[in-house]
Amino acid sequence: MEVQFYKPSSEILKQYMEGFYFIDKKAISEVIKYWTFPNNYCIAAVYQHTDLILEENKIVVAASRQNNIASSLVSRYVRPIEIIQHAVTDEITIYFKPLGLNQFVDDLPEMFKADIVSFNPFADYQEKMAEIFNTPGRDAQIRKLEDYWLSKLKYNDFSLAEQLIADVQSDLKINDIAAKHKISRQYLNRIFIQHIGKSPSEFRKIHRFRNAISEKQKSGNLTQLSYLAQFYDQSHFIRDFRGFTHFTPSDFFGKVDTGKENVWFVF
């Protein structure tokens, strides 16, 4: 399944969205099963003519005869999520950067309580998504999608959370980050859970894992890669990869095309 990933054309949206992709029902000739691996984005997917089944670490997208809109939000997950995509479906999926979705939606702490939840953030959401699905031409769909999300922008101030994220992405110890900002470690953890849906430690581990994927093209071997991605040692490198992917690093990079925007394992 080839999927084209689009970056936002709006400079404003680029601050909050990494990008989005579309899947048309005509692009899928058979049932597809794949794993998507943990990252620090909030991933909002919306489907047309679909019965959506949400389970622990699994999303089943089945055909529906109803003219309906179904949507999911994936946020706090530290294991692969299995996607089972059936033949008749239309999909738009948006990747929001950390704190990105917070600029549009207010009740995220409730949504962050589970790895996968149903997502219907606005009163006109389903109506507008149906309108976008039924708009002819990809460029026109993208314009409408971007215009819709721009209309929901709130410009909330998350300056402290942004500074904390930057420090957690660095090599500073969690206790030192709390001391730097004159807050307790418990309060630091509460900020992350409320605004990101993950603890600082979970966020850092996933950041390190994703950094290893992006650095893979620069490293000559896995030992060098573990150093570039700031793993403590090889055992730490292998342990985290097993947890996030169910594979060792060598198996993962042998089975998954990490050169694509969407790093999936199709089986």
Side-chain angles (χ1 to χ4, degrees):
M1 179 175 61
E2 291 296 326
V3 175
Q4 183 171 356
F5 195 85
Y6 299 89
K7 298 287 187 179
S9 59
S10 163
E11 293 299 322
I12 295 174
L13 288 181
K14 284 178 182 178
Q15 300 175 63
Y16 312 119
M17 290 180 182
E18 181 66 20
F20 42 83
Y21 65 81
F22 296 76
I23 295 177
D24 297 326
K25 60 185 177 183
K26 65 182 180 182
I28 303 174
S29 58
E30 58 185 12
V31 176
I32 294 173
K33 297 181 182 180
Y34 62 93
W35 283 344
T36 179
F37 301 103
N39 60 46
N40 285 323
Y41 298 132
C42 283
I43 305 171
V46 58
Y47 308 85
Q48 184 173 231
H49 308 308
T50 298
D51 287 330
L52 194 62
I53 303 169
L54 306 180
E55 303 176 5
E56 185 176 2
N57 288 97
K58 181 185 289 188
I59 299 174
V60 181
V61 183
S64 171
R65 294 182 179 180
Q66 298 180 9
N67 184 23
N68 68 329
I69 295 292
S71 188
S72 65
L73 180 69
V74 174
S75 55
R76 186 178 186 174
Y77 71 116
V78 294
R79 292 177 292 165
I81 288 180
E82 182 181 1
I83 312 292
I84 302 176
Q85 189 97 24
H86 287 263
V88 181
T89 184
D90 293 293
E91 175 185 346
I92 302 170
T93 292
I94 304 173
Y95 286 69
F96 289 91
K97 296 178 179 181
L99 297 175
L101 188 56
N102 310 57
Q103 295 289 357
F104 305 91
V105 179
D106 289 328
D107 56 347
L108 285 179
E110 285 299 312
M111 298 184 192
F112 286 157
K113 289 182 178 179
D115 296 352
I116 310 168
V117 296
S118 295
F119 187 60
N120 187 23
F122 314 114
D124 63 346
Y125 182 71
Q126 293 189 1
E127 175 189 351
K128 292 297 183 181
M129 292 301 106
E131 179 182 318
I132 292 168
F133 276 122
N134 296 324
T135 296
R138 183 69 77 227
D139 289 344
Q141 286 181 313
I142 291 172
R143 284 195 300 272
K144 285 192 174 185
L145 182 67
E146 293 195 14
D147 287 346
Y148 178 70
W149 281 101
L150 283 169
S151 75
K152 303 299 183 182
L153 187 57
K154 297 177 178 294
Y155 292 107
N156 293 315
D157 181 9
F158 293 113
S159 53
L160 174 58
E162 289 170 354
Q163 293 172 44
L164 294 174
I165 287 173
D167 286 339
V168 168
Q169 289 175 334
S170 73
D171 208 24
L172 282 176
K173 294 181 179 179
I174 302 298
N175 285 335
D176 292 341
I177 294 171
K180 173 183 175 181
H181 294 276
K182 298 180 173 58
I183 59 177
S184 68
R185 178 161 182 161
Q186 291 76 15
Y187 184 55
L188 170 60
N189 188 76
R190 188 157 65 247
I191 289 174
F192 265 76
I193 294 296
Q194 180 178 357
H195 295 306
I196 306 296
K198 302 178 180 75
S199 70
S201 297
E202 287 172 332
F203 186 94
R204 170 173 282 172
K205 285 182 179 180
I206 293 171
H207 174 73
R208 186 185 291 127
F209 162 67
R210 284 286 169 171
N211 193 36
I213 293 175
S214 63
E215 292 285 348
K216 178 63 172 62
Q217 306 304 321
K218 304 176 186 177
S219 61
N221 54 57
L222 293 180
T223 300
Q224 184 182 10
L225 177 60
S226 66
Y227 173 77
L228 287 172
Q230 298 182 332
F231 286 89
Y232 304 127
D233 52 38
Q234 278 290 295
S235 62
H236 179 214
F237 183 42
I238 294 170
R239 183 173 64 251
D240 276 11
F241 259 75
R242 281 190 183 277
F244 290 139
T245 71
H246 300 326
F247 297 121
T248 64
S250 59
D251 284 343
F252 176 80
F253 288 113
K255 294 176 181 294
V256 177
D257 185 354
T258 58
K260 294 183 178 181
E261 291 281 356
N262 301 301
V263 179
W264 296 337
F265 172 61
V266 181
F267 56 95

